[in-house]
Amino acid sequence: MRRLPPVLIEDGCSRELLSLIRTILAACKEISFRVGQGALSGVLGSTLDENIQGETQKKLDVLSNQLLKDILLESGYVKAIASEEEDYTVAGNPDAEYIVAFDPLDGSSNTDINSLVGTIFSIMRAPKDSDPADERIFMQPGHQQVAAGYVLYGPCTTLALTIGKGTRIFTLDKTHGSFMLTEEFAKIPEDTKEFAINASNQRHWQPEMQNYVNDLLAGETGPRGKNFNMRWIAAMVGDVHRVLCRGGLFTYPADTKDPNKPYKLRLLYEANPMAMLVEQAGGIAHTGEERILEIEPQEIHQRVSVILGSKNEVEACLGYHK
């Protein structure tokens, strides 16, 4: 097995980008330890506050955000950061080359039941001569990401990472603290019999998604002619990791439950990095109307619908949206 740094250098990763990625992973190792301690660490449960999304913050949300924020800003490698837990972007080193957007603890409601959670991150180049305090520097389409990844905190701590040359899977060796390459290149099978969706929202979905899922549930007696299994972890990192490992379709579609919030997932620090990872593994990532990586962001907490995973199944789903 090979350690992360030489693997990335072989792929042409610059020393500056490698240093930034290692800085993010240093924070993730600490988060992994805190998550693994569970109730022993005293950080389970909710705070009395809500984040900018209007969601109740978990104590581990706040801790994870602070760890990433502090280590990134202190490193000098970032011009600015954007986080799910921050109302606004936070300025860093004016001379730095990169900006980072992240979800510090995706699926944080799972911490109280000892289920999967993770950190998602996206790295882009900062426009030259830009103001680090100007959040417009983050208004870049996802195809301009130079790196994207997530760290999944489960029975083992796993990193999925791409710098645009395929998606690799690493596992944290806790005996010496190094991320070791455990899957050279993830390859998502083009066909699948698995899908992941929050079925409790079915009555709120658009007719196209209702029809698609109804046909999946009809199984071999329906128009698809085969049986499908439904999986749902309630943490995007867990569901996307399953897709990378064995294929499948993951979707969080638009719904009418709250007319002011038709979409759930955030573009900059959830949809974009996951779309890059999936596309680099041979899958498709779409909203139902356009390729996710082509979207021009309008604001840092912008939400979008997401349909991603195995190529042929995503295309079948998109066929219902035409």
Side-chain angles (χ1 to χ4, degrees), residues 30 48 113 170 181 199 229 278 308:
E30 179 66 20
L48 299 177
I113 59 167
F170 300 82
L181 181 66
N229 289 326
V278 166
L308 60 76

Side-chain angles (χ1 to χ4, degrees), residues 99-151:
I99 54 177
V100 178
F102 55 86
D103 181 348
L105 200 64
D106 180 66
S108 58
S109 61
N110 281 348
T111 56
D112 294 340
I113 59 167
N114 197 26
S115 189
L116 294 179
V117 292
T119 298
I120 310 171
F121 60 90
S122 165
I123 303 175
M124 297 175 285
R125 293 190 187 278
K128 288 186 178 180
D129 302 319
S130 55
D131 180 355
D134 185 354
E135 72 174 33
R136 289 177 296 180
I137 63 178
F138 284 89
M139 301 302 104
Q140 303 180 36
H143 64 78
Q144 293 183 207
Q145 294 173 107
V146 296
Y150 63 77
V151 177

Side-chain angles (χ1 to χ4, degrees), residues 204 206 254-263 303:
H204 301 294
Q206 300 296 332
D255 64 51
T256 60
K257 184 167 56 177
D258 182 348
N260 296 317
K261 292 181 180 179
Y263 311 118
R303 299 171 184 250

Side-chain angles (χ1 to χ4, degrees), residues 178-241:
S178 297
F179 279 93
M180 309 298 291
L181 181 66
T182 46
E183 186 171 352
E184 189 73 30
F185 291 107
K187 181 64 177 176
I188 299 173
E190 294 187 351
D191 294 296
T192 185
K193 292 184 178 181
E194 288 189 342
F195 68 103
I197 193 168
N198 185 351
S200 66
N201 291 328
Q202 184 165 2
R203 66 193 184 281
H204 301 294
W205 297 335
Q206 300 296 332
E208 296 84 357
M209 188 58 72
Q210 294 248 17
N211 294 336
Y212 168 69
V213 172
N214 284 338
D215 285 352
L216 298 183
L217 297 176
E220 61 186 6
T221 63
R224 297 300 304 280
K226 62 180 181 180
N227 294 323
F228 286 81
N229 289 326
M230 186 172 71
R231 298 287 185 262
W232 186 250
I233 294 175
M236 191 184 190
V237 284
D239 284 306
V240 172
H241 190 68

Side-chain angles (χ1 to χ4, degrees), residues 149-161:
Y150 63 77
V151 177
L152 179 66
Y153 311 117
C156 62
T157 297
T158 303
L159 165 69
L161 179 68

Side-chain angles (χ1 to χ4, degrees), residues 17-93:
L17 180 57
L18 175 59
S19 295
L20 174 54
I21 291 171
R22 295 182 72 182
T23 299
I24 294 171
L25 296 181
C28 290
K29 291 177 191 178
E30 179 66 20
I31 295 169
S32 174
F33 174 77
R34 300 296 182 93
V35 169
Q37 288 290 94
L40 300 177
S41 65
V43 293
L44 298 187
S46 302
T47 69
L48 299 177
D49 300 317
E50 291 185 348
N51 61 18
I52 185 64
Q53 321 293 334
E55 300 165 341
T56 301
Q57 290 179 304
K58 294 290 186 177
K59 293 178 184 177
L60 267 172
D61 275 328
V62 176
L63 174 64
S64 301
N65 182 69
Q66 199 65 47
L67 284 168
L68 281 159
K69 178 180 176 180
D70 288 347
I71 197 169
L72 283 170
L73 295 179
E74 291 169 3
S75 73
Y77 295 131
V78 293
K79 176 165 280 192
I81 62 166
S83 167
E84 179 182 9
E85 303 301 328
E86 298 286 337
D87 293 4
Y88 309 102
T89 60
V90 182
N93 177 7

Side-chain angles (χ1 to χ4, degrees), residues 186-190 243-244 246-248 277-279 281-283 309-311:
K187 181 64 177 176
I188 299 173
E190 294 187 351
V243 168
L244 286 179
R246 68 187 194 201
L277 288 165
V278 166
E279 287 197 3
S310 295
K311 179 178 181 292

